[in-house]
Amino acid sequence: MTQLFNTAATPIAELRSVFKSFSTAGGHELKVLEQIDLAVHEGELLALLGQSGSGKSTILRCLTGLIEPSSGRVLHKGETLRGINEDASVVFQTFALYPWLTVEQNVAVGLMAHQVSRAERDAAVDRVIELIGLGNYHAAYPRELSGGMRQRVGIARALVSQPRLLCLDEAFSALDVLTAENLRQELISLWRSPDTGLSSIFMVTHSIAEAVEMATRIVVLFPRPGRLGLVLENALPYPRDEKSPEFQRLVSLIHECITTTTLPDIPADVPVAGQPISRARNRMESIPLVPVGQILGLLSILNDAPELSNIYDISDEVGKEFGETIALVKAAEILELVETPKQEVRFTELGRRFVAADRETRQAIFAKQVFKLRLFHIIIALLEEYEEVEAERIIKDIGSALPYDNPEKTFQTMIAWGRYAGLMDFNAQTGMVFVPKSDTVAEESA
Ligand code: ADP
Ligand code: MG
């Protein structure tokens, strides 16, 4: 390899075979990232796309040295990273500004870790404030600014140290649509402009359109545990037109990839080798962490608008992020109320009966379906033996059965589903799970 090739090919930041686990509030080990190999190259705008909770922020934090992986290596220009990556700046979703500092002072915070004279600092702050379009706001306080302006301050603070790598963690998701669009365009032109020193952008997002609009390369992170899925080059010329067929084609390609991985078209009970998420019911399968009310809402929308058969359209209709819609559909699917051939969502026979039924029949159907989910047998089996069971014990069992899920959150969702089904109840005061004493408890054969 020539020296030239070496320099050009050395990534600005890189994860090699990174694994990361956290302990949850209840002290259980949660495996969040598995075998992540990801490099940010000079000159690229890399988007990491994934649903909420898939581990995107964890990857960003590892990559920039904010946290350490449980195992694997973090590199900076080919060398092991020690501490924070000095070439990188991060902009977070929430506008983490100091309320008692002016815009100017908040921006100057971005230079605190750097050795600069006062004059240099002032010049750098002035320059970046102009660059980011905050010219009239030097002396303003955050409370006087709109959300969009505050996020500009956040971006200015990240850029003031002239980083080679700018990392954005859902930096636009708290902004209104127009402001977000405007800022995205401005960031693209900053990154493309040769005189900012900014070489690469690494952005984390859950919006497919945002990734396709901005990135030169898109990596999709699959959840539980976070694993890298699809990697796509995006060579569309800037500025990108959301309505263009090529743009739409990329968006649906990614949609499709996420849908078919989350809701694969394979029959239950047939484990498929190499398939990341098995639908086999005889395995312990995790449940999407969605409230019963939202599953019912989804079913009622499907019932009212039969023309909505496609996950993208349903997403639009319910006004949810694609990932959240998928979680809802998946919940309805494991309960066998809908089926999902290809990109479609269709009622099953049972689902049709369910939506048409009265409250009691619904409860009975729900109970029967919940009963079929192996995960629930952790609780149901204990409740057959004891009148009351400690939540702590159940959570521990969930933790061992599903190492990639947060057992406390899974427990809460199970209780919510089980409550609706009339199968179980939970007293938060005593920390005990018990069988509700009511005559509406569904028969197993209902
Ligand atoms: P994303 O950014 O994709 O929404 P995160 O990387 O923030 O996902 O989190 C991934 C998973 O790791 C989540 O289940 C989250 O609850 C968990 N997690 C993240 N940080 C911690 C932490 N410090 N302690 C415990 N769990 C954490
Ligand atoms: Mg995040």
Side-chain angles (χ1 to χ4, degrees):
M1 255 185 280
T2 68
Q3 184 60 38
L4 182 70
F5 179 75
N6 245 336
T7 317
T10 305
I12 197 161
E14 185 176 3
L15 300 181
R16 280 203 198 148
S17 192
V18 159
F19 289 69
K20 179 74 183 173
S21 302
F22 288 111
S23 33
T24 67
H28 304 277
E29 192 198 18
L30 176 66
K31 297 183 177 179
V32 173
L33 298 179
E34 193 168 280
Q35 187 78 46
I36 303 291
D37 287 286
L38 183 68
V40 185
H41 298 284
E42 292 280 354
E44 79 172 335
L45 203 169
L46 176 63
L48 178 68
L49 190 57
Q51 25 186 295
S52 167
S54 55
K56 303 182 297 296
S57 296
T58 304
I59 288 186
L60 184 145
R61 289 187 154 92
C62 287
L63 204 56
T64 50
L66 291 170
I67 56 172
E68 280 182 10
S70 305
S71 71
R73 295 181 70 200
V74 185
L75 305 182
H76 170 219
K77 293 183 183 154
E79 308 275 329
T80 298
L81 175 67
R82 298 192 198 291
I84 306 280
N85 186 332
E86 301 282 342
D87 277 329
S89 283
V90 186
V91 182
F92 294 100
Q93 173 186 348
T94 48
F95 327 117
L97 305 179
Y98 298 103
W100 58 88
L101 298 181
T102 63
V103 164
E104 217 167 47
Q105 291 164 335
N106 264 294
V107 171
V109 166
L111 284 173
M112 248 160 44
H114 297 71
Q115 299 281 338
V116 286
S117 72
R118 202 190 162 115
E120 280 170 329
R121 185 194 67 194
D122 291 348
V125 169
D126 279 348
R127 184 180 151 278
V128 75
I129 282 181
E130 285 307 319
L131 190 70
I132 293 296
L134 286 164
N136 297 322
Y137 296 89
H138 285 256
Y141 286 90
R143 65 170 179 277
E144 301 171 67
L145 305 177
S146 65
M149 286 314 240
R150 274 184 244 161
Q151 193 55 307
R152 277 173 197 270
V153 179
I155 293 170
R157 180 165 69 194
L159 288 176
V160 69
S161 58
Q162 297 196 273
R164 290 197 62 65
L165 170 62
L166 180 66
C167 298
L168 305 168
D169 192 347
E170 314 230 11
F172 313 106
S173 59
L175 301 172
D176 66 86
V177 175
L178 294 178
T179 307
E181 179 54 24
N182 188 13
L183 268 184
R184 281 196 284 264
Q185 291 309 326
E186 287 185 28
L187 267 179
I188 291 172
S189 46
L190 275 175
W191 163 71
R192 298 181 74 203
S193 129
D195 44 43
T196 58
L198 178 63
S199 164
S200 311
I201 293 183
F202 173 64
M203 61 180 289
V204 155
T205 179
H206 59 247
S207 159
I208 297 174
E210 184 170 290
V212 174
E213 176 180 355
M214 297 186 72
T216 53
R217 192 159 65 100
I218 299 168
V219 174
V220 178
L221 186 67
F222 292 135
R224 287 175 297 106
R227 291 145 298 145
L228 295 185
L230 183 72
V231 181
L232 269 179
E233 299 288 333
N234 180 0
L236 293 179
Y238 297 98
R240 290 172 176 166
D241 174 10
E242 203 174 327
K243 305 226 161 46
S244 76
E246 303 81 35
F247 192 106
Q248 293 294 335
R249 197 188 60 82
L250 271 182
V251 169
S252 34
L253 191 78
I254 299 169
H255 268 149
E256 210 172 300
C257 159
I258 296 175
T259 317
T260 49
T261 323
T262 323
L263 308 167
D265 285 331
I266 53 169
D269 297 317
V270 182
V272 171
Q275 199 78 23
I277 296 163
S278 166
R279 312 274 305 127
R281 291 283 191 275
N282 56 10
R283 277 188 40 204
M284 196 63 90
E285 190 177 23
S286 62
I287 56 168
L289 304 181
V290 296
V292 177
Q294 294 198 8
I295 303 174
L296 301 182
L298 171 78
L299 295 174
S300 112
I301 283 175
L302 288 177
N303 191 46
D304 294 346
E307 75 280 6
L308 285 178
S309 59
N310 159 319
I311 293 197
Y312 327 140
D313 298 342
I314 296 170
S315 247
D316 281 349
E317 178 69 22
V318 299
K320 285 202 175 292
E321 280 301 331
F322 189 68
E324 288 178 68
T325 310
I326 291 232
L328 279 177
V329 170
K330 178 154 183 162
E333 189 182 40
I334 64 171
L335 293 165
E336 299 175 329
L337 301 173
V338 302
E339 54 191 0
T340 59
K342 303 278 177 260
Q343 308 286 299
E344 303 234 322
V345 183
R346 283 202 306 244
F347 274 120
T348 56
E349 202 40 53
L350 183 70
R352 234 176 260 294
R353 264 203 285 134
F354 181 85
V355 284
D358 61 24
R359 212 191 127 72
E360 249 165 61
T361 316
R362 279 188 172 198
Q363 191 189 37
I365 293 176
F366 205 86
K368 190 177 172 198
Q369 294 311 106
V370 160
F371 218 91
K372 287 190 192 168
L373 299 173
R374 275 209 48 200
L375 182 62
F376 278 84
H377 287 235
I378 291 177
I379 302 182
I380 291 166
L382 284 167
L383 286 179
E384 275 166 9
E385 201 170 337
Y386 309 97
E387 209 163 298
E388 289 192 318
V389 184
E390 277 177 29
E392 196 40 52
R393 166 162 186 192
I394 296 170
I395 291 170
K396 207 168 183 176
D397 288 350
I398 297 171
S400 348
L402 302 169
Y404 306 128
D405 290 73
N406 180 316
E408 287 91 8
K409 290 183 184 166
T410 300
F411 170 76
Q412 282 159 12
T413 304
M414 289 172 73
I415 291 297
W417 290 21
R419 246 187 206 134
Y420 179 77
L423 291 172
M424 60 193 68
D425 207 343
F426 172 56
N427 182 338
Q429 232 106 58
T430 60
M432 300 301 263
V433 176
F434 56 96
V435 180
K437 288 191 183 40
S438 100
D439 44 21
T440 54
V441 175
E443 295 287 333
E444 201 193 319
S445 59

